[in-house]
Amino acid sequence: MPLKPFSIALAGNPNSGKTTIFNNLTGTRQKVGNWPGVTVAKKEGKIRHRGLDLIITDLPGTYSLTPFSIEEIVARNFILDEHPDVVIDIIDSSNLERSLYLATQLRELDCKVLFALNMTDLARSRGIKIDTDKLSELLAVPVVATVGNKNEGMDRLLEAAVGLAESETDTARRRRVKYSKDIEAAISELQQDLVRECAETVPYNPRWTAIKLLEDDKVVKERCVSVAADRGRALFEKTDHLRRRIMDLYADEPEIVMTDERYGFIAGIMREVQTNATYRRVDISRNIDLVLTNRFVGFPIFLFFIWAMFQSTFSVGEYPMQWIESGVGLVSKAIDALLPQSLLKDLVIDGIVAGVGSVIVFLPNIVILFFFIALFEDTGYMSRCAFLMDRIMHLIGLHGKSFIPMLMGFGCNVPAIMAARTLESEKDRILTILITPFMSCSARLPVYIVLAGTFFAGHAGSVIFAIYLLGIVMSILTGRLFRSTLLRGADAPFVMELPPYRVPMLKSLMIHMWDRSKMFLKKMGGVILVGSVVVWTLSAFPRTVSYDTDYAAAKREAIAAFDARIQAAAPDHRQRLEALKDESLAELERRQRFEKAEKSYMGMIGKTIAPVFAPLGIDWRASVALLTGFVAKEIVVSTMGVLYAVGDRSEGDVLQQALQESGMTPLSAFALMTFVLLYVPCIATVTTIRQETGSNGWMLFSVAYSTGLAWLAAFVIYQGGRLLGLG
Ligand code: GDP
Ligand code: MG
């Protein structure tokens, strides 16, 4: 004789994964229809499991079993009237507390309940730990952990369901909500009446019925009326009396008091069952945020952090910078000693070693800058920056979220522009892409370090900070301008996430820092090496033969003249004359190199474009340097190295000295830095802009706009400064 199939119902909150698990269990054997009389979908599936027939029903998703919504009534009636052998309560483990409300209500019903702790993957990833044994023990229910969308735990779930269906009911072991004394008294009084008066006619478990009557549950009341007829009247009078007493005692409706007490019960379970790794973190984070995102002090603190970042980038970086500098000097000297005088030697020393060397000394600064950016990201401070900037960003019609690409731009504009992809609105994205290049990337840092270090020695860090700030201001002004003209529209609404602060892991900091610094080193071997060679070639040619011979003649003459004087001089005078001779020869060589650079292709280019830059206080050599900066911003420094540093090769800070002697002033240096900050970003960034906006138009626009703005800003600074008598 075939056994009656087991009936298994799946209950649970909406989105707890019921349907997913239902599909996992039943596969294609599903029957989809409606629940009788209502438009709520009913899904049923018949399967065989170990020779047993199982009928599985997907109940509507509900948060409770109060008869307020059609879904709740359908789910409850199914359990009450169809008596499924097992009800599986699908629980969203990442939302245990909310799920337990339905669970405790199911526990009060006269049915066999089994918990499927679903979404355990989500819970784990959120740092939530649930003690399933404890939960099972506290509520006396079997508990099975599942991951619905990965089909994990389904066999164990069926196993447990069948086991529970086959087991004897063990009402004594059943744990359920225990209400406070007066309510329990009312429940048991009513329960006794129910059993005495109409036990045979009331179809449900008497305790549950008593509770529902006290809660004034319309459906249960009607049910009682229909079955208990006259005998029901006395029951209702009793119920009314008890309800009034509870209302007198608690000054609240019994259903509200009982709901509160259920939540109290759940809170107790939660405390025992769930340890929340994130709780403490969230609390600590909240406290930190009270300060760091405070309306008044948050912004000054943010500015301080950024200032401290540049200050230490500059000051801490100085020591390793000097070591690398002397290292480059040593390499240069060694090659000088090894190779015979030749064009190749010039190329290696003046082109490659000087070019690459003048940039590689900034590796420590760049590593430190990236360290800070990684630190901000890993601790969670980066999102606070976005949060703090939100109000300011709204001034330009952008959301604080746009500030993250901008902040990343401090590292490198290429990934920063790509990061704008997270913005949903097309206009927001294009606007963010257009203003991100004004965030001064790490490649521009060497230029500032050289110029600020030379002309603002004591305040280099602050001057660099000011330049970065200027970049931010320019991007804000630009954003505002474009928002009201080219890219009109409102900013898209966004939720600002504030993830909990984390203690940064040194290893992850190192990895982040190193990944980015590697890019810098790769650039060294690639574009900067090639750029240096090109710059050197353009500055070393054409080699006018007569010029070289002229120079050789001049040198010979000078040597002869000095030697004659030394011979004639008194012995104690000779040493001074020797020194004078060395100095004069060096000066001669300097002048020769300088003239050579001026007559080179580089010089020709520089002289051609110089008029454009003259009003900015930028001479022809810096103009050429700016031109080469299009390839990569670091090359600006190496070009300056080749064009300015025409003195003795072995000296330490040749470039600094040469710059000081070149007629550049603090004012013109600042104008130059401003120009470097704002003008066309490097070729990689420009390509990325085209790729991310999907249009040549925006790319060309960005190039023209930034370069135009750079010229204008540098002009205002230089000429304005001169009017004020600053330079
Ligand atoms: P229902 O409203 O209870 O029927 O929930 P669904 O079955 O429709 O599932 C809601 C969403 O949760 C779907 O996108 C599922 O893919 C997903 N989901 C189901 N179970 C899990 C799980 O264990 N882990 C995760 N991460 N997602 C799940
Ligand atoms: Mg569903």
Side-chain angles (χ1 to χ4, degrees):
M1 187 193 113
L3 288 163
K4 181 178 158 286
F6 280 133
S7 160
I8 297 173
L10 304 184
N13 292 170
N15 287 318
S16 56
K18 270 190 303 50
T19 306
T20 309
I21 289 182
F22 175 78
N23 291 340
N24 289 346
L25 295 178
T26 59
T28 53
R29 281 163 301 235
Q30 299 182 1
K31 212 174 72 196
V32 183
N34 271 357
W35 294 91
V38 293
T39 53
V40 179
K42 176 182 187 177
K43 279 188 172 179
E44 231 176 36
K46 274 203 185 82
I47 56 166
R48 277 184 78 80
H49 176 79
R50 303 214 175 175
L52 293 168
D53 282 319
L54 308 178
I55 298 182
I56 299 176
T57 312
D58 187 15
L59 295 178
T62 63
Y63 290 108
S64 110
L65 287 179
T66 47
F68 292 135
S69 73
I70 195 76
E71 284 81 10
E72 287 172 334
I73 292 174
V74 165
R76 194 171 87 175
N77 284 350
F78 183 84
I79 297 168
L80 286 174
D81 300 333
E82 310 286 325
H83 299 291
D85 294 287
V86 172
V87 176
I88 299 181
D89 183 9
I90 314 272
I91 285 176
D92 173 356
S93 310
S94 63
N95 255 316
L96 184 61
E97 187 155 13
R98 193 179 69 188
S99 310
L100 280 179
Y101 193 75
L102 177 68
T104 53
Q105 290 203 317
L106 284 172
R107 208 71 202 87
E108 282 181 330
L109 270 179
D110 216 1
C111 63
K112 289 177 175 174
V113 182
L114 163 68
F115 287 172
L117 276 189
N118 196 35
M119 313 249 181
T120 40
D121 55 332
L122 272 189
R124 197 172 313 125
S125 72
R126 291 186 194 161
I128 298 171
K129 267 207 201 92
I130 297 172
D131 184 343
T132 48
D133 292 341
K134 191 85 186 185
L135 181 65
S136 168
E137 189 192 315
L138 284 177
L139 285 168
V141 283
V143 176
V144 176
T146 59
V147 182
N149 58 345
K150 296 206 189 91
N151 210 350
E152 279 172 26
M154 296 304 132
D155 280 342
R156 267 175 292 136
L157 191 60
L158 273 186
E159 238 9 83
V162 170
L164 187 61
E166 283 174 336
S167 72
E168 296 294 314
T169 356
D170 184 5
T171 28
R173 262 191 76 232
R174 188 179 305 150
R175 308 277 158 68
R176 52 199 165 196
V177 185
K178 208 158 158 48
Y179 299 96
S180 55
K181 202 175 93 251
D182 298 301
I183 293 193
E184 282 294 339
I187 293 173
S188 66
E189 203 171 317
L190 208 52
Q191 192 180 341
Q192 275 163 23
D193 275 17
L194 270 169
V195 174
R196 197 173 55 239
E197 301 286 330
C198 37
E200 69 284 9
T201 44
V202 171
Y204 316 128
N205 146 16
R207 179 182 161 89
W208 185 77
T209 312
I211 292 170
K212 290 298 132 179
L213 285 175
L214 281 176
E215 283 185 329
D216 205 25
D217 185 308
K218 298 282 175 312
V219 177
V220 172
K221 257 165 86 178
E222 268 164 36
R223 201 58 182 260
C224 286
V225 170
S226 71
V227 295
D230 280 353
R231 277 177 298 171
R233 186 152 310 135
L235 201 62
F236 290 145
E237 273 165 23
K238 184 64 159 274
T239 309
D240 276 347
H241 166 71
L242 290 170
R243 274 178 60 83
R244 267 197 305 277
R245 204 172 72 194
I246 293 172
M247 267 190 273
D248 287 344
L249 283 169
Y250 293 86
D252 238 333
E253 319 250 289
E255 52 270 37
I256 293 176
V257 178
M258 288 159 93
T259 303
D260 282 351
E261 294 191 352
R262 271 180 214 130
Y263 277 119
F265 177 72
I266 290 168
I269 298 177
M270 289 301 291
R271 197 165 326 128
E272 294 214 39
V273 163
Q274 179 166 319
T275 37
N276 209 331
T278 56
Y279 257 8
R280 245 174 64 79
R281 268 224 314 275
V282 167
D283 282 348
I284 295 172
S285 290
R286 217 169 274 147
N287 287 334
I288 299 177
D289 272 339
L290 283 182
V291 180
L292 292 189
T293 60
N294 179 283
R295 291 178 70 86
F296 304 104
V297 298
F299 201 70
I301 292 177
F302 163 64
L303 284 183
F304 170 78
F305 279 153
I306 303 282
W307 173 83
M309 168 168 98
F310 292 120
Q311 192 60 40
S312 35
T313 297
F314 189 77
S315 54
V316 180
E318 210 165 357
Y319 303 96
M321 190 174 170
Q322 277 165 7
W323 305 333
I324 298 182
E325 222 162 49
S326 6
V328 171
L330 284 178
V331 169
S332 182
K333 262 190 192 151
I335 296 173
D336 196 18
L338 271 172
L339 291 181
Q341 193 65 40
S342 69
L343 201 58
L344 179 72
K345 180 173 170 173
D346 284 356
L347 168 69
V348 172
I349 294 179
D350 296 338
I352 296 173
V353 177
V356 175
S358 63
V359 182
I360 203 154
V361 294
F362 300 103
L363 182 65
N365 304 99
I366 282 167
V367 168
I368 294 169
L369 181 70
F370 281 137
F371 175 81
F372 275 97
I373 290 182
L375 191 68
F376 287 167
E377 276 184 334
D378 286 9
T379 51
Y381 188 64
M382 195 70 119
S383 7
R384 271 70 188 185
C385 299
F387 180 82
L388 285 169
M389 287 303 288
D390 195 44
R391 259 181 300 164
I392 294 175
M393 295 301 285
H394 276 297
L395 290 180
I396 51 175
L398 277 176
H399 194 272
K401 211 159 182 166
S402 289
F403 193 65
I404 290 188
M406 291 168 69
L407 257 185
M408 282 175 62
F410 284 153
C412 173
N413 287 173
V414 172
I417 286 170
M418 288 182 181
R421 278 183 201 172
T422 52
L423 302 169
E424 273 144 30
S425 141
E426 168 96 6
K427 280 182 180 171
D428 284 7
R429 214 178 58 237
I430 290 183
L431 189 53
T432 307
I433 289 173
L434 289 178
I435 63 180
T436 296
F438 295 139
M439 298 291 107
S440 194
C441 68
S442 60
R444 288 173 242 192
L445 186 61
V447 187
Y448 308 146
I449 292 179
V450 164
L451 292 171
T454 307
F455 294 99
F456 301 91
H459 316 281
S462 304
V463 168
I464 293 174
F465 173 64
I467 286 285
Y468 276 78
L469 212 57
L470 182 69
I472 298 175
V473 170
M474 281 304 173
S475 69
I476 289 173
L477 293 179
T478 299
R480 211 180 155 95
L481 174 71
F482 290 171
R483 187 51 115 187
S484 54
T485 52
L486 288 172
L487 295 159
R488 238 182 263 261
D491 44 328
F494 252 130
V495 177
M496 187 79 75
E497 302 107 9
L498 289 181
Y501 287 101
R502 284 166 195 282
V503 177
M505 298 220 309
L506 191 63
K507 193 173 160 200
S508 123
L509 282 181
M510 290 300 152
I511 291 173
H512 282 151
M513 189 176 84
W514 177 239
D515 273 352
R516 290 165 180 165
S517 305
K518 225 165 42 189
M519 257 172 50
F520 177 79
L521 284 176
K522 270 196 191 138
K523 256 195 197 167
M524 288 287 112
V527 86
I528 289 174
L529 177 68
V530 173
S532 302
V533 171
V534 170
V535 168
W536 174 82
T537 311
L538 286 177
S539 65
F541 293 96
R543 300 215 136 186
T544 39
V545 179
S546 75
Y547 183 84
D548 273 350
T549 34
D550 283 357
Y551 164 73
K555 194 173 168 185
R556 264 199 312 274
E557 264 171 43
I559 292 173
F562 267 109
D563 284 350
R565 278 177 67 187
I566 291 168
Q567 292 272 292
D572 54 341
H573 218 73
R574 275 184 194 158
Q575 210 168 358
R576 256 203 53 204
L577 277 174
E578 286 281 4
L580 204 62
K581 173 186 166 190
D582 286 350
E583 227 168 81
S584 302
L585 286 179
E587 174 59 29
L588 197 63
E589 188 169 341
R590 197 174 299 148
R591 217 179 315 142
Q592 187 248 0
R593 282 188 177 221
F594 182 77
E595 251 174 86
K596 209 153 127 191
E598 229 173 358
K599 289 196 173 146
S600 68
Y601 292 119
M602 203 57 120
M604 293 177 209
I605 297 169
K607 292 280 155 110
T608 314
I609 59 170
V612 179
F613 293 96
L616 317 179
I618 297 173
D619 70 3
W620 69 266
R621 287 169 292 187
S623 309
V624 177
L626 290 173
L627 209 60
T628 57
F630 179 55
V631 178
K633 287 286 140 72
E634 296 95 333
I635 293 183
V636 172
V637 174
S638 52
T639 306
M640 290 200 298
V642 171
L643 292 182
Y644 284 101
V646 288
D648 193 329
R649 283 168 187 169
S650 57
E651 261 172 63
D653 31 17
V654 205
L655 183 52
Q656 290 212 347
Q657 259 187 14
L659 281 170
Q660 254 155 355
E661 287 161 8
S662 74
M664 209 183 269
T665 63
L667 181 63
S668 57
F670 196 81
L672 180 56
M673 285 192 267
T674 305
F675 196 91
V676 170
L677 166 75
L678 299 173
Y679 86 125
V680 61
C682 67
I683 201 161
T685 305
V686 171
T687 320
T688 313
I689 292 177
R690 202 195 62 183
Q691 179 190 319
E692 296 293 307
T693 57
S695 104
N696 281 322
W698 282 121
M699 177 190 77
L700 292 174
F701 175 76
S702 164
V703 169
Y705 176 78
S706 52
T707 310
L709 184 67
W711 194 90
L712 207 65
F715 181 81
V716 169
I717 286 173
Y718 183 65
Q719 298 298 344
R722 291 218 319 176
L723 281 180
L724 295 173
L726 294 176

